Amino acid sequence: MDPFMGMCATTGIAACCLGGLTLHSWLGLVPSAVAAAATGASPSDVAALLPVPARRRIRAARILVIDEISMLDATLLDAIDGLCRFVRSTLTSPMGGLTVLFCGDFVQLAPVAGQGVFKGSFSFRAVVWKALFGKRAVVLATAHRHGGDPSYLGLLRRLRCAELTEADVLALQSRVVDGVAPVDAVSLYATVEEARRHNQHRLGALGKRTITYVAENFGGRLSSDAARVVLDSLTPAPDSLVLCLNAAVLAVSNAYFHRHGVCSGWRGTVVGFQASGGAQGEAEELPMVEFKLPSGVLRRIVVSRTNFMAATVTGDAAGHSSSHSSSYNPVRRQLPLVLGWALTIHKAQGMTLELAYVTLSCVFTFSMVCQLAARDEQT
């Protein structure tokens, strides 16, 4: 990772897709620092609670990129502004003189109202926003995910503004199905428990021999339990993955994109298993997964374990250490797959799904509707 660039996102899944860190991790916002900021503490008081490596990162950086900016609270952004000014000893420049690039869609997931002064207000309401950008903003108008379907793209744009036409409503109603989700669809749920139950039901219904892949977690200076909690929240890789023949899976990284054209969110089917040496030298049966590419080509890949890194708020940026044991940063070595029958709407962030099924009764905000409608090519 470039030490002069903070490549961040407001969620762990988005950060993993970028190959970066969560904003809290990069800044070193330990719970005590967040709590202090929530009570309106001064930048110097908040800075005193940051780990030393985090303060070094802030001072050394030249550029700060924040993806999924819609989920950043305005008051927190102002607190970060004050923190950066103090740590970088540049009190008169917004964000302490950092060049910033904020990316996101304010019609999608909104900030979550938190403790103290964090009220869930959009970041463009922050005092520092005008100082940073004024009226300067670049609107990216070209949609790549839905570029091949101009009618659906138009519907999405009108949905964003709550300006659906009668034809749009009829088009959406034409996609309503009764009862069971289509076999090839990924079901999207609002809660983790709903998605877990759906996946377990579909896996059990296959009635085949299962293989369990337990992640290898390297906690660095964290305890094993603490590392597991961090890795569960900051990476898409599961701590335990159970597969069998004909199981539906989703790729959760771009590890096979450049060589095979399979990117995060692609759905495949386990068509076999192949023996391979495990990480500790023992034999391990790796799944052979068949993916259907957009071109229609079927691609079979023997999927092996890969590293998912998550910087903690107490350590250096991911990838700076040469060994797992000495690093502050937890690392999870696991297959880059999850069961592919169901996901939560939040876990689908950053993915392009070929076909999705949504139970709208579980959706509780308008922004979630926009988020899920933009995830897939067919809903």
Side-chain angles (χ1 to χ4, degrees):
M1 181 177 293
D2 187 341
F4 300 112
M5 176 180 290
M7 185 67 71
C8 305
T10 53
T11 69
I13 300 301
C16 190
C17 290
L18 286 174
L21 314 175
T22 64
L23 181 60
H24 279 60
S25 295
W26 189 83
L27 290 167
L29 289 176
V30 293
S32 57
V34 175
T39 60
S42 68
S44 59
D45 289 340
V46 176
L49 298 171
L50 302 185
V52 172
R55 295 200 294 269
R56 290 174 181 163
R57 278 199 298 273
I58 296 170
R59 281 195 293 266
R62 297 173 184 168
I63 301 172
L64 176 61
V65 178
I66 305 178
D67 193 18
E68 301 295 349
I69 191 65
S70 70
M71 297 185 70
L72 180 60
D73 182 270
T75 306
L76 180 56
L77 177 56
D78 279 329
I80 292 170
D81 168 51
L83 182 64
C84 289
R85 293 184 193 224
F86 178 81
V87 173
R88 294 170 61 83
S89 301
T90 312
L91 300 179
T92 58
S93 298
M95 298 295 286
L98 281 169
T99 298
V100 297
L101 174 62
F102 294 169
C103 313
D105 182 351
F106 285 109
V107 184
Q108 292 192 17
L109 299 178
V112 177
Q115 56 183 316
V117 296
F118 301 144
K119 303 300 183 183
S121 180
F122 281 115
S123 55
F124 57 74
R125 297 188 182 279
V127 174
V128 72
W129 186 276
K130 187 175 182 180
L132 284 170
F133 304 112
K135 295 184 178 180
R136 295 170 298 170
V138 177
V139 179
L140 303 178
T142 302
H144 294 278
R145 180 176 286 138
H146 305 100
D149 189 349
S151 61
Y152 187 60
L153 178 58
L155 185 153
L156 285 177
R157 286 174 171 164
R158 290 186 290 276
L159 174 63
R160 289 166 50 82
C161 304
E163 297 176 348
L164 291 178
T165 65
E166 184 176 345
D168 292 333
V169 174
L170 291 174
L172 290 173
Q173 289 176 340
S174 71
R175 300 191 182 207
V176 175
V177 296
D178 294 326
V180 183
V183 174
D184 295 335
V186 178
S187 295
L188 298 179
Y189 291 97
T191 67
V192 173
E193 182 58 26
E194 288 173 308
R196 187 195 67 80
R197 284 201 305 264
H198 185 109
N199 278 324
Q200 292 305 313
H201 172 73
R202 295 291 296 271
L203 184 71
L206 293 176
K208 298 183 182 294
R209 178 181 72 95
T210 61
I211 299 177
T212 301
Y213 299 90
V214 178
E216 300 167 51
N217 296 326
F218 303 91
R221 298 190 182 182
L222 294 178
S223 68
S224 58
D225 289 341
R228 184 176 294 106
V229 170
V230 169
L231 289 162
D232 283 345
S233 63
L234 296 184
T235 72
D239 188 52
S240 178
L241 175 65
V242 181
L243 298 178
C244 71
L245 197 63
N246 298 331
V249 293
L250 288 172
V252 292
S253 84
N254 292 317
Y256 294 97
F257 175 71
H258 293 291
R259 185 173 180 182
H260 299 287
V262 173
C263 64
S264 179
W266 248 225
R267 195 171 194 242
T269 303
V270 177
V271 295
F273 294 91
Q274 181 172 304
S276 176
Q280 305 300 327
E282 73 279 6
E284 183 174 43
E285 292 184 83
L286 296 177
M288 178 180 291
V289 180
E290 183 175 86
F291 293 96
K292 184 178 180 180
L293 303 186
S295 62
V297 173
L298 297 177
R299 186 67 51 83
R300 290 191 173 189
I301 303 171
V302 177
V303 179
S304 57
R305 293 177 184 258
T306 189
N307 287 344
F308 292 84
M309 292 179 283
T312 70
V313 293
T314 57
D316 294 325
H320 280 191
S321 175
S322 60
S323 69
H324 297 316
S325 59
S326 62
S327 174
Y328 282 100
N329 309 298
V331 176
R332 171 166 290 172
R333 188 163 180 79
Q334 177 61 294
L335 299 179
L337 301 171
V338 294
L339 289 176
W341 291 290
L343 284 171
T344 63
I345 295 170
H346 283 72
K347 283 287 187 182
Q349 191 175 43
M351 292 183 175
T352 299
L353 305 175
E354 186 177 359
L355 181 65
Y357 171 83
V358 183
T359 303
L360 289 177
S361 60
C362 71
V363 173
F364 46 85
T365 68
F366 173 75
S367 61
M368 290 178 74
V369 176
C370 291
Q371 164 80 356
L372 63 88
R375 287 310 95 202
D376 62 316
E377 297 169 341
Q378 302 178 61
T379 303

